[in-house]
Structures are given as C-alpha cells and as structure tokens.
Amino acid sequence: MGDVNTILNRSSVGGCDGRRERYQSLDEVLRAGILGEISGALENHEDDSRPRRENWIELSSLRLLPTVLHPTKVIGVGMNYHSFTAQLGMAAPSHPVLFHKTSSALCGHGQEVVIPGNTRQPVPEGELAVVIGRRADRIAPSEADRHIAGYTCANDISARDLEFQTSQWTNGKMLPTFGPLGPALVTPDEIDDIGNLELRTVLNGITVQHGNTGNMVFPVRELISLISMLVTLEPGDVVLTGTPSDLGANTPPTFLSPGDMVEVRIAGLGHLKNPVVAAEVPQRDPYSKGYRHSFPKVDHGIF
C-alpha cells in the first residue's frame, strides 16, 4: 500500500484547491475526524498509486510505536470477565471497576518491556483495547459504535507488589513500558462481532491466558456508555476492557522476568509481541532510604 499522505494528495480528502494537510500520526487523524474518509480513499485509490514491489517496505524492518501516541486518557477496567471473578471466588461487579493507566506507560509492538528494580511481581494481562474516534459525552450504548475508531491488542502489565501497596491500583499500572499497545488499529468494519473474539496471552510460546470477549461482565458498547457518563472520552483515548484471568493468583503466580517474550493474540486484531528486559542498575538516592531507579526513555516520537 502507498503512503497515506501520498494517497490523500490524489484524493479530495484532507484539504482543497491542491492544499493538503500532512498527517504524522493516528492521533492527528482522529482529532481531524477524517478516519472514515481516509479508509475510503485507501479503498478507492488508483492502482498506479501503489508502490512497486521493489519499493515495498518489510514490516520487520519498521519500528512500530503505540497505536496512539498521546491519548488524553488511558482508562483500565478491572474484573470485567466472569472467568476472572470466578477464579477469585468473587461476585461480578455491579458497576465497572475503573482505574487510570498513564499514557507515558504506552509502548509499541516489538518494543522492550522494562522491569525496574522496585517490583518483583510484574503480571501480564492480555486485553482488548478500544480506541475512541469521536468525542463521547454521556452517550447511550446504542450510540457507542459511532464513537469508536477501532480496536487493538493491549497488555496491561501490572506490578502486583506495587499495585496493592494502597487501596488504589495505579502504583502498579503506570510504570514506563507497562502498557504495550498494537500492532495496529483495526476499524470496526473489519470485525464481524466484537463480542466474540478469542484472546490469548502467550509467554515464551506457552498460552497462559485464554478467553473470549463474550465473557465480559460489561460488553464493549455498554462499557463505553457507562464510562462516558463519568468522563468525556476524547478522540485518541484508550479503554482497556479487562483481562480474562488473574495470573498473579495462579499457583505459582505467573510473573514476567528479563529474557521473557510475551504476546497478546486476539482474533482479527493480530499479535502484540514484546521482549522483556531488566532496567539499568539503580543508583542510591541520597534524599531517601530507598533507591532511585533509572528508566530508559520510551520513544513516543512521530511516524
């Protein structure tokens, strides 16, 4: 497929009278509200806009960034699978259990998940992620589809020892690189039934989670509606819809370690794959009794 900006320059999308915007990320496309028009342009562009085979770029040679780079919100949903609550012997929640996962935690397909020295209990959590395409403020479930740009795979990596230091979970959710997202956005028209997708988390080639989105306590449309009653969802925002089991509750628990390879596979959405590495050796912090840990900077540049 040709470059999106090149195809747009041959279409009526993105400007007029020969003047065209150049979009450098999906965030910009979503904020401009032209994802649908771009999809149409890509489907209808002339054959001569396709690059010759010798000019194709191998996917393996690309460095993929998170599906969206700078969402205003990354909202996680806990205990949203009946299989998860059954594993813990708990009743399903009557309202969505929400938490905040910072956008600075996001990383892309193939990028390293970096385990810092202040946690020994990082747990992978394969999830379906919803990317918002249109501002959603107090919408009904029947309206949700109009506000969804698409779907992607997510890994809500959670440091259980940090997560349960307090009554809030965010301590264990917001570490740098603890939010792999990708490999790409899949638009809703490509999915037959968002309520019937098989999900697997694979660690070093072994399936450690297996579920289906039909097992959600709050299905996607209802979830987006309920969240929009609490906070306005903006284009580019991400909703992590929950994970089918608690790997931290396994016997023994399933924790990530440097050298691991973790994948999230969702039918129709592709595979999100990330190697796991250790952070740099911590340095003594003279202003506290603990340690200051050095984290590598996550590249959130432009495409």
Side-chain angles (χ1 to χ4, degrees), residues 128 145 151 187-198 212-214 219-221 266-269:
L128 168 72
D145 285 346
Y151 307 96
T187 52
D189 59 293
E190 298 289 337
I191 304 298
D192 291 333
D193 182 3
I194 198 61
N196 185 26
L197 298 182
E198 185 179 35
N212 188 288
T213 56
V220 168
R221 295 175 181 86
I266 302 180
L269 303 185

Side-chain angles (χ1 to χ4, degrees), residues 1-290:
M1 185 64 70
D3 172 71
V4 169
N5 284 302
T6 299
I7 294 170
L8 290 180
N9 281 332
R10 301 187 182 194
S11 75
S12 60
V13 179
C16 58
D17 300 328
R19 297 188 299 274
R20 299 287 186 264
E21 293 285 342
R22 289 194 62 83
Y23 300 98
Q24 300 187 45
S25 70
L26 180 60
D27 304 55
E28 293 184 7
V29 168
L30 295 178
R31 286 194 291 268
I34 64 165
L35 182 62
E37 290 86 342
I38 285 181
S39 297
L42 292 173
E43 291 177 0
N44 299 318
H45 72 279
E46 297 178 350
D47 288 340
D48 63 2
S49 69
R50 299 175 185 269
R52 297 178 181 176
R53 179 173 291 274
E54 60 266 26
N55 295 326
W56 286 7
I57 299 174
E58 292 293 333
L59 182 62
S60 60
S61 69
L62 297 178
R63 177 174 54 86
L64 298 184
L65 301 176
T67 311
V68 288
L69 301 177
H70 305 293
T72 68
K73 293 175 285 297
V74 180
I75 297 176
V77 185
M79 300 187 290
N80 195 38
Y81 277 75
H82 291 286
S83 55
F84 187 103
T85 57
Q87 176 190 1
L88 300 182
M90 301 173 62
S94 55
H95 301 280
V97 179
L98 306 181
F99 60 87
H100 183 216
K101 194 173 184 82
T102 57
S103 61
S104 61
L106 299 181
C107 66
H109 170 77
Q111 292 187 321
E112 294 177 339
V113 169
V114 182
I115 306 299
N118 61 333
T119 178
R120 296 184 179 181
Q121 298 181 352
V123 175
E125 296 187 358
E127 309 199 8
L128 168 72
V130 180
V131 178
I132 301 300
R134 179 180 176 186
R135 194 169 188 265
D137 182 18
R138 303 184 67 81
I139 64 170
S142 60
E143 301 174 285
D145 285 346
R146 297 170 50 227
H147 297 265
I148 294 173
Y151 307 96
T152 192
C153 303
N155 192 346
D156 174 27
I157 299 173
S158 306
R160 286 287 189 260
D161 43 1
L162 302 182
E163 192 175 355
F164 296 122
Q165 285 179 335
T166 71
S167 61
Q168 305 299 313
W169 297 344
T170 302
N171 284 4
K173 299 285 190 178
M174 62 182 176
L175 299 174
T177 74
F178 271 39
L181 192 69
L185 182 79
V186 178
T187 52
D189 59 293
E190 298 289 337
I191 304 298
D192 291 333
D193 182 3
I194 198 61
N196 185 26
L197 298 182
E198 185 179 35
L199 181 156
R200 292 180 184 271
T201 303
V202 178
L203 182 60
N204 301 325
I206 299 173
T207 297
V208 292
Q209 283 185 308
H210 183 205
N212 188 288
T213 56
N215 190 241
M216 286 184 182
V217 177
F218 300 97
V220 168
R221 295 175 181 86
E222 182 180 0
L223 192 59
I224 298 303
S225 171
L226 290 170
I227 294 174
S228 79
M229 299 294 173
L230 302 173
V231 63
T232 300
L233 294 169
E234 303 288 352
D237 284 352
V238 178
V239 176
L240 309 178
T241 59
T243 196
S245 63
D246 184 359
L247 294 176
N250 287 352
T251 304
T254 302
F255 298 137
L256 295 176
S257 300
D260 285 343
M261 181 66 72
V262 60
E263 301 175 62
V264 177
R265 305 175 181 178
I266 302 180
L269 303 185
H271 297 181
L272 171 65
K273 188 173 183 179
N274 298 91
V276 180
V277 301
E280 298 176 11
V281 176
Q283 297 176 341
R284 176 70 68 178
D285 184 347
Y287 300 104
S288 75
K289 296 180 180 180

